[in-house]
PDB file of all heavy atoms in Angstrom:
ATOM      1  N   GLY A 219     123.198 102.204  98.229  1.00 79.00           N
ATOM      2  CA  GLY A 219     121.832 101.704  98.245  1.00 79.00           C
ATOM      3  C   GLY A 219     120.958 102.438  99.238  1.00 79.00           C
ATOM      4  O   GLY A 219     119.798 102.766  98.946  1.00 79.00           O
ATOM      5  N   THR A 220     121.490 102.727 100.414  1.00 84.00           N
ATOM      6  CA  THR A 220     120.727 103.447 101.432  1.00 84.00           C
ATOM      7  C   THR A 220     120.405 104.863 100.984  1.00 84.00           C
ATOM      8  O   THR A 220     119.294 105.368 101.197  1.00 84.00           O
ATOM      9  CB  THR A 220     121.516 103.486 102.757  1.00 84.00           C
ATOM     10  OG1 THR A 220     121.793 102.143 103.177  1.00 84.00           O
ATOM     11  CG2 THR A 220     120.721 104.187 103.838  1.00 84.00           C
ATOM     12  N   ILE A 221     121.366 105.537 100.355  1.00 85.00           N
ATOM     13  CA  ILE A 221     121.122 106.897  99.853  1.00 85.00           C
ATOM     14  C   ILE A 221     120.011 106.887  98.804  1.00 85.00           C
ATOM     15  O   ILE A 221     119.129 107.755  98.807  1.00 85.00           O
ATOM     16  CB  ILE A 221     122.424 107.486  99.280  1.00 85.00           C
ATOM     17  CG1 ILE A 221     123.432 107.742 100.419  1.00 85.00           C
ATOM     18  CG2 ILE A 221     122.133 108.784  98.527  1.00 85.00           C
ATOM     19  CD1 ILE A 221     124.797 108.173  99.949  1.00 85.00           C
ATOM     20  N   TYR A 222     120.036 105.909  97.922  1.00 81.00           N
ATOM     21  CA  TYR A 222     118.985 105.815  96.918  1.00 81.00           C
ATOM     22  C   TYR A 222     117.624 105.571  97.562  1.00 81.00           C
ATOM     23  O   TYR A 222     116.597 106.077  97.085  1.00 81.00           O
ATOM     24  CB  TYR A 222     119.300 104.716  95.909  1.00 81.00           C
ATOM     25  CG  TYR A 222     120.098 105.205  94.731  1.00 81.00           C
ATOM     26  CD1 TYR A 222     121.475 105.027  94.665  1.00 81.00           C
ATOM     27  CD2 TYR A 222     119.483 105.859  93.674  1.00 81.00           C
ATOM     28  CE1 TYR A 222     122.223 105.488  93.593  1.00 81.00           C
ATOM     29  CE2 TYR A 222     120.207 106.325  92.585  1.00 81.00           C
ATOM     30  CZ  TYR A 222     121.579 106.135  92.554  1.00 81.00           C
ATOM     31  OH  TYR A 222     122.310 106.598  91.493  1.00 81.00           O
ATOM     32  N   LEU A 223     117.602 104.784  98.642  1.00 83.00           N
ATOM     33  CA  LEU A 223     116.346 104.575  99.351  1.00 83.00           C
ATOM     34  C   LEU A 223     115.787 105.893  99.873  1.00 83.00           C
ATOM     35  O   LEU A 223     114.596 106.179  99.736  1.00 83.00           O
ATOM     36  CB  LEU A 223     116.558 103.606 100.517  1.00 83.00           C
ATOM     37  CG  LEU A 223     116.814 102.134 100.181  1.00 83.00           C
ATOM     38  CD1 LEU A 223     117.139 101.348 101.443  1.00 83.00           C
ATOM     39  CD2 LEU A 223     115.602 101.520  99.491  1.00 83.00           C
ATOM     40  N   TRP A 224     116.648 106.704 100.474  1.00 86.00           N
ATOM     41  CA  TRP A 224     116.212 107.986 101.018  1.00 86.00           C
ATOM     42  C   TRP A 224     115.692 108.910  99.910  1.00 86.00           C
ATOM     43  O   TRP A 224     114.756 109.667 100.111  1.00 86.00           O
ATOM     44  CB  TRP A 224     117.375 108.658 101.747  1.00 86.00           C
ATOM     45  CG  TRP A 224     117.501 108.244 103.175  1.00 86.00           C
ATOM     46  CD1 TRP A 224     118.067 107.108 103.659  1.00 86.00           C
ATOM     47  CD2 TRP A 224     117.036 108.960 104.319  1.00 86.00           C
ATOM     48  NE1 TRP A 224     117.998 107.074 105.022  1.00 86.00           N
ATOM     49  CE2 TRP A 224     117.369 108.203 105.457  1.00 86.00           C
ATOM     50  CE3 TRP A 224     116.382 110.177 104.489  1.00 86.00           C
ATOM     51  CZ2 TRP A 224     117.048 108.621 106.750  1.00 86.00           C
ATOM     52  CZ3 TRP A 224     116.074 110.596 105.775  1.00 86.00           C
ATOM     53  CH2 TRP A 224     116.407 109.817 106.889  1.00 86.00           C
ATOM     54  N   ILE A 225     116.317 108.857  98.752  1.00 84.00           N
ATOM     55  CA  ILE A 225     115.945 109.774  97.672  1.00 84.00           C
ATOM     56  C   ILE A 225     114.646 109.352  96.996  1.00 84.00           C
ATOM     57  O   ILE A 225     113.747 110.177  96.758  1.00 84.00           O
ATOM     58  CB  ILE A 225     117.079 109.869  96.630  1.00 84.00           C
ATOM     59  CG1 ILE A 225     118.332 110.497  97.253  1.00 84.00           C
ATOM     60  CG2 ILE A 225     116.621 110.680  95.417  1.00 84.00           C
ATOM     61  CD1 ILE A 225     119.539 110.466  96.328  1.00 84.00           C
ATOM     62  N   PHE A 226     114.525 108.072  96.693  1.00 81.00           N
ATOM     63  CA  PHE A 226     113.455 107.633  95.799  1.00 81.00           C
ATOM     64  C   PHE A 226     112.288 106.931  96.481  1.00 81.00           C
ATOM     65  O   PHE A 226     111.212 106.839  95.888  1.00 81.00           O
ATOM     66  CB  PHE A 226     114.028 106.709  94.717  1.00 81.00           C
ATOM     67  CG  PHE A 226     114.940 107.403  93.747  1.00 81.00           C
ATOM     68  CD1 PHE A 226     116.306 107.171  93.766  1.00 81.00           C
ATOM     69  CD2 PHE A 226     114.443 108.307  92.834  1.00 81.00           C
ATOM     70  CE1 PHE A 226     117.161 107.806  92.885  1.00 81.00           C
ATOM     71  CE2 PHE A 226     115.278 108.961  91.940  1.00 81.00           C
ATOM     72  CZ  PHE A 226     116.647 108.714  91.971  1.00 81.00           C
TER      73      PHE A 226
END
Side-chain angles (χ1 to χ4, degrees):
T220 302
I221 291 173
Y222 270 99
L223 289 174
W224 273 80
I225 295 173
F226 292 109

